Amino acid sequence: MDLGSLNAFIAIAESGSFSTAGERLHLTQPAVSKRIAALEQQLNMRLFDRLGREVSLTESGRALLPRAYQILNVLDDTRRALNNLNGDVGGRLTLATSHHIGLHRLPPLLRAFTRAYPQVALDIRFLDSEVAYEDILHGRAELAVITLAPHTAAPVRAVPVWDDPLDFVAAPEHPLACNGPVDLAAIARHPAVFPGDNTFTHHIVRRLFEAERLTPNIAMSTNYLETIKMMVSIGIAWSVLPRTMLDEQVARLPLPAVQLRRQLGYILHTDRTLSNAARAFMELLDAQRENLA
């Protein structure tokens, strides 16, 4: 099986589009189609159903997908193991991170890393934490620095680095910010802007309300915390933000006895061989954790 054809197959399966797969692989759409045609001819089976612009995996395609991941991951793992033998810290490090962590937590560590290991080519991918988790699971990234899920199952290992307290916030002139201490029931009656319902942070906040048998009035949602802060600051909704983002644009809502927090850290696939570059970056993250302990 040709590796280029397997890469094309995976790219189409993930994106649902030949053209999008071509953009990801820096190939023309005809070149991608040619690779898939060769693979289907070699296997003597159709891998995709093409109905107009819709592309979906056939039963054979669904059976091949996990094996395609496995083949490419074994080759990548072998390549990293051989490259590690010389002890050099170089090559490419594919690092996934969320926008918030990439902007607010990682810059000092990335600066120190690039100065210590200038021969490493950093491939930083800004993704939602949940998407980054999938990238680790399928071997598309070596490390991911993200908001950690409440529970992480093998073969993914999660290592907390930062404790990240969360605060309820509103615009300084919002009614919730003008009347002293409030409770969850009062907050739930006002419109809110929430992180997307697919995010770990959304589930952390939602469970707090559910424990009190309350349903927050979610008027809108977005995965970008900077956008949430802007919406809160103009007074149209309340929300929950990391304490590190609070300033004069938003007011912290005092909720006695409510302590909300999330864990930020890194994840890796325990069955993958990590490059020397990934190990070096993990050492920086572990040192950061120890300094904050």
Side-chain angles (χ1 to χ4, degrees):
M1 245 177 276
D2 177 75
L3 294 181
S5 297
L6 282 179
N7 277 312
F9 167 73
I10 289 174
I12 297 167
E14 291 176 347
S15 66
S17 165
F18 277 66
S19 59
T20 303
E23 292 172 4
R24 180 189 298 185
L25 298 172
H26 307 290
L27 296 170
T28 64
Q29 184 173 333
V32 172
S33 298
K34 185 176 180 180
R35 291 188 178 191
I36 296 303
L39 184 59
E40 289 179 327
Q41 183 177 9
Q42 185 178 16
L43 296 174
N44 194 30
M45 59 185 62
R46 180 179 291 275
L47 300 174
F48 294 102
D49 285 325
R50 306 159 179 84
L51 301 174
R53 295 187 177 181
E54 298 292 326
V55 178
S56 61
L57 286 166
T58 63
E59 184 178 356
S60 298
R62 289 192 296 272
L64 175 62
L65 186 58
R67 291 167 174 81
Y69 281 127
Q70 185 178 16
I71 291 168
L72 294 181
N73 286 335
V74 167
L75 288 172
D76 286 341
D77 195 67
T78 302
R79 188 180 298 111
R80 284 191 294 270
L82 293 174
N83 288 337
N84 286 348
L85 292 177
N86 60 20
D88 293 338
V89 180
R92 178 175 294 274
L93 171 58
T94 303
L95 177 70
T97 187
S98 69
H99 291 81
H100 175 72
I101 296 174
L103 291 174
H104 297 279
R105 300 284 188 171
L106 280 187
L109 295 176
L110 291 170
R111 189 178 302 113
F113 184 81
T114 54
R115 289 176 178 174
Y117 307 106
Q119 63 274 38
V120 175
L122 275 174
D123 178 11
I124 303 175
R125 302 180 181 182
F126 289 89
L127 304 168
D128 292 340
S129 293
E130 300 71 27
V131 177
Y133 183 97
E134 292 298 316
D135 271 19
I136 291 295
L137 194 60
H138 293 301
R140 293 188 291 267
E142 281 197 78
L143 290 176
V145 187
I146 60 171
T147 300
L148 299 179
H151 305 285
T152 303
V156 176
R157 175 185 169 217
V159 181
V161 176
W162 300 277
D163 183 59
D164 199 33
L166 300 170
D167 286 325
F168 286 84
V169 294
E173 67 277 8
H174 193 284
L176 287 170
C178 299
N179 299 317
V182 293
D183 57 23
L184 286 179
I187 288 177
R189 289 193 290 268
H190 290 264
V193 54
F194 256 43
D197 59 10
N198 63 324
T199 64
F200 298 143
T201 304
H202 176 103
H203 295 304
I204 290 171
V205 180
R206 192 66 179 255
R207 279 197 299 271
L208 178 67
F209 282 90
E210 290 175 349
E212 300 294 326
R213 300 181 182 276
L214 296 169
T215 302
N217 178 11
I218 302 174
M220 61 193 79
S221 63
T222 174
N223 290 0
Y224 299 104
L225 295 180
E226 286 75 14
T227 303
I228 290 177
K229 181 179 178 182
M230 181 276 293
M231 291 180 174
V232 169
S233 71
I234 62 178
I236 62 175
W238 62 266
S239 191
V240 172
L241 288 173
R243 189 169 296 169
T244 54
M245 293 183 67
L246 271 57
D247 56 23
E248 70 281 355
Q249 298 180 64
V250 296
R252 179 175 177 268
L253 302 179
L255 276 91
V258 173
Q259 292 187 347
L260 202 59
R261 60 199 337 106
R262 60 184 187 171
Q263 294 292 317
L264 312 180
Y266 67 90
I267 60 172
L268 65 149
H269 197 300
T270 56
D271 293 337
R272 306 278 187 263
T273 298
L274 293 176
S275 65
N276 290 338
R279 295 182 185 279
F281 196 78
M282 285 171 56
E283 289 176 2
L284 282 179
L285 290 166
D286 291 339
Q288 176 79 9
R289 180 187 60 194
E290 293 169 4
N291 290 338
L292 296 172

